[in-house]
Amino acid sequence: MRASTERKMKRWQEQRWILDQVIKVSGLDFDQGRSHKMLRNCGPGIAGELRGIGQRVQKFTDFPREFSRAAHGREQRGRAAEALGHTVEAREHYYVAATYYTAAQWGIFEDGNPKRMAWAESKRDCYDRYIGFADHPIERVDLPVPGGKMAALLHLPHKPAPGERFPCILYQPGMDGVKEDNPLMGDPLLQRGLAILSIDGPGQGETRERGITCTASNCEDGARAAYAFLSTRPEIDGDRVAVYGSSMGSYWGTRMAAAVPELKACAVVGVCMEPSQYTIFNTAAPTFKLNYMYMSGYDDEAEFDEFCKTLTLEGVAARIQCPYMVVAGEDDELCPIEFAYEVVDEATCPKVLYVYEGERHSLRNPAARTIVVDWLKDCLDGKPVASEKVYVEMSGKETRTPLS
């Protein structure tokens, strides 16, 4: 990054040396469950490669260098496999390459950076090649929103039979996530017969590269555009669409559900629900704040701090009409759990709150994901929702308490 980018945030300058020491000790997962997510999405075949990348990443500036190098290697392997007609192998290499290019871009939070721009082009090319060999239909979609077009990917479980219509999940990734985050194999939503419209919301991925920044509420514009698009697709059942948000997607997803009353359910995981997002921007790793300044288009930290005061869900959950699920770690380091309770308390719709004892922001309990996707499918199938809080102890014991 340019020196001017690194100097626009005070804590970044003061704590940069600490950040590098933390990365040296903690590795790729110093701020979030990065390697866990990559293994989940790419499969166990990258485990050894990821360990090697982690050993070479000793400081912040190593992230773009090492992930771009690994991405280029995977891209070349994909091209070699494609030339031999080995399309299954090729698609895996191309998917992993796109994932690595995304990780390389993450460490550069500024417009006009030639490396970031080149990696964005390579990521798109690799993902397009993956689409060509994928085991299910995938389509690139551009959705009209104020300021331009929002980028999205539509996944179908399989080629629809004549007259077949799929229920659909509108997937909203977190602030460090992108629309390409759907797993290479074994996607739990596709396996349940659900289509997925995965978006780069305002401020994210390709949408940010097109100049569209995030405001406190323009995720709602994205939701309206996404729902309008899905309602026109003959293979999508417009009466059975739900939102699934993760991390900062819990903030955006909650707003999306409140803005589109036609949605049939909303589930959010790994909460970012604190008013002004104080903890994630002021006590967590400084990467979060510098990234969000880029996502929202701010170069002045004082102006950004004023903007953050508008990041609130006060009064939003009360407007949600569909069933609402919140899944959180009791010891979330990016958002104190009390704020999840406040948002859920405000909701008057059928609601479920899962709290995992001892878990942090990146939930490691594999059962959590299964619970969420099954709950979403049940809602889309019209099954009733009992309002309750479920406290899950580390032993797996669940305590259920009715919610009013």
Side-chain angles (χ1 to χ4, degrees):
M1 290 188 294
R2 296 184 290 268
S4 57
T5 299
E6 301 207 35
R7 291 172 182 168
K8 68 183 184 180
M9 179 182 160
K10 185 173 185 289
R11 192 161 63 92
W12 182 269
Q13 299 177 71
E14 295 175 344
Q15 297 182 3
R16 174 58 186 279
W17 69 276
I18 301 175
L19 175 65
D20 284 342
Q21 290 301 310
V22 171
I23 291 171
K24 186 175 183 179
V25 173
S26 301
L28 298 179
D29 298 334
F30 77 97
D31 60 339
Q32 57 191 282
R34 183 176 285 103
S35 62
H36 173 76
K37 175 179 166 183
M38 287 184 175
L39 283 167
R40 181 193 71 197
N41 286 350
C42 299
I46 71 164
E49 184 176 39
L50 203 55
R51 281 195 300 271
I53 295 172
Q55 290 169 357
R56 294 189 295 275
V57 172
Q58 296 289 299
K59 58 186 184 303
F60 177 74
T61 52
D62 291 336
F63 272 87
R65 179 186 303 112
E66 295 302 329
F67 273 109
S68 64
R69 183 174 294 155
H72 180 72
R74 280 285 184 163
E75 181 180 357
Q76 295 306 307
R77 292 167 68 183
R79 292 179 184 276
E82 183 179 358
L84 293 172
H86 300 165
T87 57
V88 173
E89 180 187 359
R91 80 181 179 210
E92 292 179 2
H93 289 313
Y94 285 135
Y95 178 92
V96 174
T99 299
Y100 287 169
Y101 278 125
T102 296
Q105 286 183 274
W106 168 83
I108 299 178
F109 310 131
E110 61 189 12
D111 284 320
N113 185 287
K115 289 184 177 180
R116 182 182 174 109
M117 293 166 66
W119 294 333
E121 291 181 10
S122 294
K123 180 185 82 170
R124 184 180 178 92
D125 180 66
C126 286
Y127 202 85
D128 279 342
R129 290 173 182 272
Y130 160 66
I131 290 174
F133 300 132
D135 61 355
H136 65 279
I138 308 174
E139 176 184 342
R140 287 193 179 274
V141 177
D142 288 329
L143 303 171
V145 294
K149 297 288 184 69
M150 184 175 76
L153 291 165
L154 178 63
H155 298 252
L156 301 181
H158 54 260
K159 183 178 180 180
E164 185 176 14
R165 303 173 76 209
F166 304 110
C168 188
I169 300 298
L170 172 56
Y171 178 61
Q172 172 62 71
M175 65 178 287
D176 291 333
V178 290
K179 65 185 180 303
E180 292 86 1
D181 280 345
N182 298 92
L184 169 66
M185 297 172 286
D187 188 297
L189 297 170
L190 296 176
Q191 287 182 325
R192 287 162 173 78
L194 305 175
I196 306 165
L197 182 66
S198 185
I199 65 172
D200 280 337
Q204 291 182 294
E206 283 189 69
T207 302
R208 177 62 182 86
E209 290 157 14
R210 297 172 180 179
I212 303 174
T213 56
C214 59
T215 69
S217 60
N218 63 346
C219 57
E220 299 173 11
D221 296 323
R224 294 186 188 99
Y227 184 78
F229 163 76
L230 292 171
S231 298
T232 67
R233 296 292 298 228
E235 69 274 67
I236 300 297
D237 186 346
D239 292 328
R240 292 198 293 164
V241 178
V243 170
Y244 182 8
S246 62
S247 193
M248 191 62 74
S250 68
Y251 172 85
W252 296 320
T254 299
R255 282 190 166 276
M256 293 160 76
V260 183
E262 294 87 355
L263 294 170
K264 291 299 183 288
C266 173
V268 297
V269 182
V271 295
C272 288
M273 295 179 165
E274 180 177 9
S276 80
Q277 304 291 347
Y278 180 87
T279 299
I280 190 173
F281 293 149
N282 295 287
T283 70
T287 48
F288 290 111
K289 186 174 186 179
L290 193 61
N291 189 15
Y292 212 83
M293 289 179 69
Y294 164 68
M295 293 171 66
S296 54
Y298 284 88
D299 290 323
D300 184 276
E301 187 173 11
E303 292 179 2
F304 177 77
D305 289 342
E306 284 299 308
F307 160 73
C308 287
K309 294 177 182 178
T310 68
L311 301 177
T312 176
L313 292 177
E314 183 178 358
V316 175
R319 294 190 278 113
I320 297 176
Q321 300 178 30
C322 63
Y324 181 50
M325 169 183 266
V326 175
V327 180
E330 183 180 43
D331 298 336
D332 194 313
E333 74 278 17
L334 304 184
C335 174
I337 191 66
E338 65 190 83
F339 299 109
Y341 282 103
E342 289 180 3
V343 171
V344 171
D345 284 346
E346 185 183 277
T348 58
C349 56
K351 55 193 178 183
V352 177
L353 171 63
Y354 266 82
V355 177
Y356 283 83
E357 180 185 24
E359 287 274 12
R360 302 179 67 184
H361 186 78
S362 296
L363 293 169
R364 295 302 183 98
N365 190 318
R369 197 166 183 231
T370 301
I371 287 168
V372 171
V373 295
D374 280 338
W375 183 85
L376 284 168
K377 186 176 188 305
D378 286 346
C379 288
L380 292 175
D381 288 344
K383 295 182 181 180
V385 173
S387 294
E388 60 180 351
K389 173 195 169 186
V390 184
Y391 184 77
V392 184
E393 297 179 18
M394 289 184 177
S395 65
K397 177 184 176 182
E398 296 183 356
T399 301
R400 296 176 179 266
T401 306
L403 292 176
S404 58

